[in-house]
Amino acid sequence: MKKLITLMTLLLSMGVLADGAMAFSKDSLTWGKCTGCHEPKDGKISRVEEIRATPDEWGVIIDRMARLYDMDLNASERDVLLKEICETQILSPEELDKVSYLNLYNNPQTVEIPQGEQEGQFFATCVRCHSAGKIKSYRMTESAWAKVRDFHYYMDPAIDGQMREMKWYEESAAILASLAKSLPYDKPWVTPQANPAGSWIVLGNEPGKGNYRGHASIKAGQSGSYTVAGALSYDDGTSEHFQGEAVLYGGHALRTETRHNNFVTLGAYSFADGIIKGQHHFPAPDFRTSTSTWYPADGPARILKVTPSYLLAGETTTLTLEGVKLPEIKAGDLDFTGGNVKVLEARRDGETIVAKVAYQGKGAVQASLTVKNLNTLPVTLADRIDHIKITPELGRARVYGGIHFPAEGVQFEAVAYAADDLILGAVPASFKLSEFVTRENDDDLAWLGAIAKNGTYIPTSDYGQIMTREYKTEGTGLVNVSAEYERAGHQYTAEAMLAVVPPDYVPRVK
Ligand code: HEC
Ligand code: HEC
């Protein structure tokens, strides 16, 4: 008996038996807003407590409750609801990470590709009107998944006709049964104690502009939100000040809205293990995405990032080491293991360490760099660049379609590889467009405008007929993108494609 009681106490303290506890108290806004229609059973709000999802998908659901069913909702209530619901009904950091390419419905160039036959069937049945990522943004109980079929018949009564090459009624049920196994509700999320307030070192990369570094400070604001401010300086010599707000959902999903010089950006970051990691997106039309990691500025002295992260044989490279509280340093304090690298010079320069080094060995090696009394980071060694590739392989831009549908651009980037497809890193190639001939007198290129040398493409046309163009079509088309890069007497080229298409008039359903 005593043993059992000890076990019970242990389980209770681990939160395992917390099942009886209510996720939403009767005085919560969620209870007040939702139980009028979603009847609570045993203290649980039906439908709501059968689903876990991303903050973004919860936003879609809450907005639909207001739009279609006249649920009263103002902007500040929406914020509170999202925060309350995500306390228990959000995905775990690992689950969220897998769909982070969809965060915020920015303009991802990701192409979803089904893995294996079963996923093929899932894509054929479900990934026709929206992304697979939207579906994978959900975890539901078996009965909640089963209701998704009726939900679709209700939202889109024409679905049988649209999906007429299959028996959607039967086939969707089979897929939903398998999703109940692969994307199960499991249990409510338990929000950990987490506080991102503090001062941070920001290290990032923005395709088309390069690496950047800076500082940010996060301060607790009103009702669980935070204020964020900071300054960044880029490799290309430009700098940015930013300030704005942040909200932390479920103790791990940090969403920001910050003004950078003249642009308002939306950011989606994960906050885990004391580190903030994620992206912010610049608005249309240029849609740049900037990726960064934020480290606590008051942490112990350590190196955090080495740029470039690779060395080529026969070159002398100037490395920049970024970190926290970096000490004064001399050449002998840097130690490469795993390859023959000579350190010619090393010194501290402001907040960074700058070192001149040369790889004097042969072959591709994953080596590491240790700074005396500090830590170790990986560095790739290679004979030479073998080839370059462009990302995305197929860029998709959209022409302007009125003020609610701004043009959407694409940022291409060239990435260098050593032999055997060993990735080295981005290189500053020059970009060009050329015609991809798909028909007689193909003239797309003439109507698409130009790409900037650094790979930024922004459509120039709008969604209207061009009376002087053959067939009076708009300024859309499909063209080749090429990148050229020269290094150590070698000329590298790579090809990709650019599709410039009409506006997406249903931007909400991604
Ligand atoms: C005025 C009535 C009404 C209110 C208030 C209401 N809902 Fe709903 N809700 C519905 C209806 C009707 C459906 C079924 C159709 C649908 O999903 O749009 C639904 C469905 C849902 C679903 C299931 C969606 C799915 O994918 O299966 C969720 C989750 C949900 N509501 C959440 C909420 C939350 C959270 C609130 C409170 C912030 C709320 N609802 C308030 C009427 C309401
Ligand atoms: C014919 C088009 C179409 C097909 C096919 C389709 N969906 Fe959807 N789905 C939609 C639309 C439209 C919405 C958004 C409704 C809204 O929020 O207004 C949606 C929303 C959803 C949602 C979000 C639910 C919510 O409460 O907002 C899920 C989950 C989903 N679909 C899963 C699936 C699955 C699983 C399949 C395959 C069995 C599927 N969809 C096939 C059109 C489709």
Side-chain angles (χ1 to χ4, degrees), residues 57 60-61 64 67 122 125-126 128-130 134-135 138 140 145 148 151-152 155-156 159 162-163 168 172 175-176 179 508-509:
E57 285 299 321
V60 171
I61 294 177
R64 187 170 71 245
R67 190 176 75 248
F122 165 60
T125 316
C126 303
R128 303 285 283 269
C129 315
H130 51 70
K134 181 178 175 80
I135 301 170
Y138 285 83
M140 302 193 210
W145 274 117
V148 167
F151 167 75
H152 280 74
M155 293 302 291
D156 181 4
I159 200 162
Q162 253 170 298
M163 305 296 288
W168 200 79
S172 61
I175 294 287
L176 290 166
L179 291 179
R508 206 178 49 78
V509 182

Side-chain angles (χ1 to χ4, degrees), residues 33-34 37-38 47 51 61 64-65 69 71 85 151:
K33 287 274 176 196
C34 316
C37 300
H38 297 290
R47 311 300 288 119
I51 292 179
I61 294 177
R64 187 170 71 245
M65 300 303 124
Y69 317 124
M71 179 180 80
I85 291 174
F151 167 75

Side-chain angles (χ1 to χ4, degrees), residues 156-381:
D156 181 4
I159 200 162
D160 277 333
Q162 253 170 298
M163 305 296 288
R164 62 190 168 281
E165 89 283 7
M166 60 168 64
K167 290 193 165 113
W168 200 79
Y169 186 82
E170 283 88 7
E171 292 184 46
S172 61
I175 294 287
L176 290 166
S178 80
L179 291 179
K181 297 209 165 64
S182 59
L183 304 174
Y185 178 76
D186 195 12
K187 54 178 186 287
W189 170 248
V190 180
T191 291
Q193 279 292 337
N195 182 3
S199 84
W200 299 87
I201 289 180
V202 180
L203 299 174
N205 177 272
E206 199 176 306
K209 265 175 86 68
N211 289 307
Y212 61 87
R213 61 212 48 83
H215 293 273
S217 87
I218 303 184
K219 295 196 175 99
Q222 288 188 335
S223 60
S225 69
Y226 297 89
T227 58
V228 199
L232 307 173
S233 57
Y234 286 78
D235 276 353
D236 68 2
T238 59
S239 61
E240 246 169 49
H241 282 270
F242 66 94
Q243 61 181 64
E245 296 207 334
V247 181
L248 185 67
Y249 295 105
H252 69 83
L254 190 71
R255 297 292 195 257
T256 60
E257 183 173 340
T258 48
R259 173 174 284 273
H260 291 239
N261 294 356
N262 296 316
F263 294 103
V264 174
T265 77
L266 295 177
Y269 296 85
S270 88
F271 176 41
D273 304 323
I275 290 171
I276 297 174
K277 214 172 180 171
Q279 301 184 316
H280 64 268
H281 308 283
F282 285 82
D286 76 3
F287 268 123
R288 272 178 294 136
T289 286
S290 191
T291 303
S292 61
T293 306
W294 303 23
Y295 301 92
D298 57 1
R302 59 179 178 143
I303 49 169
L304 299 168
K305 186 177 177 187
V306 186
T307 330
S309 58
Y310 63 93
L311 304 177
L312 300 178
E315 292 186 356
T316 300
T317 307
T318 305
L319 287 180
T320 306
L321 274 59
E322 278 154 311
V324 187
K325 299 181 187 147
L326 298 180
E328 294 293 345
I329 214 127
K330 53 185 192 309
D333 297 336
L334 299 194
D335 182 32
F336 284 86
T337 48
N340 180 9
V341 177
K342 181 154 193 201
V343 182
L344 306 167
E345 217 181 286
R347 65 189 160 85
R348 195 177 73 182
D349 180 10
E351 294 178 21
T352 62
I353 290 173
V354 179
K356 272 208 176 102
V357 300
Y359 173 35
Q360 298 179 329
K362 250 177 142 13
V365 194
Q366 207 41 267
S368 58
L369 163 61
T370 308
V371 177
K372 193 179 162 191
N373 298 330
L374 305 184
N375 52 318
T376 302
L377 288 178
V379 174
T380 307
L381 310 178

Side-chain angles (χ1 to χ4, degrees), residues 101-112:
Y101 62 93
L102 265 193
N103 281 341
L104 309 171
Y105 304 118
N106 65 316
N107 179 35
Q109 297 287 338
T110 314
V111 177
E112 298 180 323

